[in-house]
């Protein structure tokens, strides 16, 4: 099972340990593309703070993020699962998983990123600011920039089992499963049951809880149909929209009344 996650806009501070080692990141086939984004981002933020703030879409109150980007090569690095924060990651709560579940997380979770393309939760990275919606002057829109590199590495990363795609639309634009990979891919939408509407907090928190439940249970469903059964066994209310045509993912709706 491979789980695709969005990052968080807010991030924890960089660590005090060793700095980034690009060669140590998952998906080494992305190394060249990562280096190009890193070079341009650091150069932009070091050369013109005001332009960098505009390009990165930062408010005046987030101006400090620009200085942080200039130090990406030298700042201490921490596991990505500690860097990313927010509702989904609070609900996932990687730090409190038992040893076996942590091992499963390290091998099955990929976080998509405007800067890195995608990283594993155990990959050590510095804190940064660069969303997938950013359009860098030299490389263009990052969602489009990452499509070719991701198309090269992701089919192999997807292996032969389930792909559980929990990314937001901006990050989903960087790679869309095709062919037989798409047929074993499931996307999840979380709906507030009384209103049948997507509510951001419910959506993010429930996705985090779903991933945590799967990791704790040691579940490795082979495909979308098996995932539906597993989620229902774990107590989730799931409605299924099977693909009308071959080569397309399954769409699952998880219904929630409230999130604790």
């Amino acid at each position: 099972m491979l789980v695709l996650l969005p990052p968080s806009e807010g991030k924890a501070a960089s660590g005090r340990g060793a700095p980034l080692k690009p060669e140590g990141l998952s998906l080494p086939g992305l190394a060249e593309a990562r280096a190009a984004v890193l070079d341009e981002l650091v150069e932009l933020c070091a050369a013109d703070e005001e332009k960098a703030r505009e390009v990165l879409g930062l408010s005046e109150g987030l101006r400090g993020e620009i200085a942080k980007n200039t130090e990406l090569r030298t700042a201490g690095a921490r596991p990505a699962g500690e860097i990313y924060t927010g509702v989904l990651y609070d609900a996932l709560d990687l730090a409190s998983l038992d040893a076996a579940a942590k091992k499963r997380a390290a091998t099955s979770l990929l976080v998509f990123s405007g800067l890195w393309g995608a990283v594993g939760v155990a990959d050590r990275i510095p804190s940064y600011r660069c969303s997938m919606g950013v359009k860098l002057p030299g490389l263009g829109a990052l969602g489009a920039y990452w499509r070719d590199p991701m198309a090269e590495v992701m089919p192999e990363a997807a292996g032969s089992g389930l792909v559980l795609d929990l990314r937001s639309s901006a990050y989903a634009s960087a790679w869309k499963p095709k062919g037989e990979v798409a047929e074993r891919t499931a996307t999840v939408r979380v709906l507030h049951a009384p209103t049948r509407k997507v509510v951001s907090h419910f959506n993010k928190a429930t996705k985090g809880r779903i991933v945590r439940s799967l990791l704790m249970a040691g579940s490795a469903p082979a495909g979308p149909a098996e995932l539906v059964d597993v989620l229902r066994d774990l107590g989730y209310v799931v409605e299924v929209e099977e693909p009308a045509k071959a080569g397309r993912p399954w769409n699952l709706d998880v219904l929630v009344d409230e999130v604790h």
Side-chain angles (χ1 to χ4, degrees):
M1 178 177 68
L2 181 68
V3 182
L4 311 181
L5 297 173
S8 57
E9 287 299 317
K11 298 173 183 69
S14 295
R16 296 183 178 179
L20 170 73
K21 294 182 178 179
E23 68 277 8
L25 299 179
S26 301
L27 305 176
L30 298 178
E32 184 176 344
R34 285 171 175 150
V37 179
L38 180 61
D39 286 348
E40 181 165 354
L41 181 62
V42 171
E43 182 179 345
L44 169 69
C45 292
D48 188 333
E49 185 176 285
E50 197 56 40
K51 182 177 180 180
R53 189 168 74 88
E54 180 182 345
V55 169
L56 297 176
L58 300 177
S59 67
E60 180 65 33
L62 292 173
R63 186 179 288 271
E65 299 290 292
I66 299 167
K68 185 167 67 176
N69 279 350
T70 68
E71 300 172 350
L72 288 172
R73 295 190 181 92
T74 57
R78 298 169 62 182
E82 296 178 12
I83 290 289
Y84 295 117
T85 59
V87 175
L88 188 154
Y89 291 91
D90 285 348
L92 174 52
D93 196 7
L94 288 167
S96 70
L97 293 173
D98 62 36
K102 285 180 179 177
K103 185 175 181 180
R104 287 189 283 271
T107 58
S108 64
L109 306 188
L110 275 183
V111 184
F112 272 59
S113 162
L115 174 53
W116 313 114
V119 292
V121 293
D123 291 355
R124 297 181 65 85
I125 60 172
S127 185
Y128 67 96
R129 192 76 176 213
C130 184
S131 73
M132 193 66 80
V134 164
K135 185 176 182 179
L136 291 175
L139 298 178
L142 290 177
Y145 169 81
W146 281 112
R147 285 174 196 155
D148 286 345
M150 297 302 290
E152 290 291 324
V153 303
M154 284 305 299
E156 180 178 355
S160 59
L162 170 73
V163 177
L164 176 54
D165 190 352
L166 302 179
R167 297 172 296 166
S168 54
S169 58
Y171 291 89
S173 70
W175 180 67
K176 295 184 179 180
K178 296 180 179 179
E180 65 87 19
V181 178
E183 292 175 1
R184 48 187 170 85
T185 296
T187 64
V188 172
R189 181 175 63 166
V190 180
L191 301 181
H192 185 215
T195 63
R196 312 292 292 191
K197 293 181 179 179
V198 175
V199 181
S200 179
H201 179 84
F202 291 143
N203 183 52
K204 294 175 182 177
T206 302
K207 286 179 177 179
R209 292 174 66 208
I210 286 171
V211 177
R212 182 180 177 85
S213 296
L214 293 171
L215 293 172
M216 290 294 290
S219 301
E226 292 83 357
L227 173 64
V228 173
D229 291 339
V230 169
L231 290 178
R232 287 172 174 164
D233 287 344
L234 289 170
Y236 292 95
V237 178
V238 184
E239 295 182 349
V240 184
E241 180 185 340
E242 296 184 24
K245 297 181 180 180
R248 295 187 179 179
W250 290 44
N251 297 314
L252 310 184
D253 285 342
V254 175
L255 307 183
V256 296
D257 293 315
E258 58 184 2
V259 175
H260 300 285

